Amino acid sequence: MEYKVIPFTPSIDRNKGNSAKVAQQLEVIISNYNDQGWRYVRLESVETHVLPDSGCFGIGSQPGYTAYRQMIVFSKE
């Protein structure tokens, strides 16, 4: 079995966006990959830790933080 994982970062207009637009974006991606022979498996949330940046002599330093990314998983036999 072969797997493909692609990032999913939906975008919506701050004033007009809603979950239906996000669902539509996901549906388009799933349909495109399905046309290429890939089968949708699931949407995964991946938690990563972004390391702190010490800056130059402490100027501009930024603390580390946790970031979450959505990944779409497809499979193909």
Side-chain angles (χ1 to χ4, degrees), residues 1-76:
M1 176 121 6
E2 187 178 355
Y3 291 94
K4 179 179 285 287
V5 179
I6 64 164
F8 176 60
T9 307
S11 59
I12 57 175
D13 182 320
R14 181 181 308 259
N15 299 318
K16 300 178 187 176
N18 60 35
S19 58
K21 295 215 184 252
V22 173
Q24 181 183 18
Q25 291 174 44
L26 183 57
E27 185 177 320
V28 167
I29 293 171
I30 291 171
S31 293
N32 287 339
Y33 277 88
N34 186 52
D35 291 345
Q36 298 172 37
W38 291 97
R39 183 180 66 83
Y40 171 77
V41 177
R42 69 177 161 265
L43 184 66
E44 283 288 328
S45 180
V46 178
E47 179 181 324
T48 59
H49 180 71
V50 179
L51 296 174
D53 183 356
S54 59
C56 182
F57 301 109
I59 299 171
S61 65
Q62 298 179 346
Y65 60 92
T66 301
Y68 298 91
R69 303 287 187 254
Q70 298 295 318
M71 301 290 175
I72 307 172
V73 182
F74 295 94
S75 69
K76 185 190 281 191

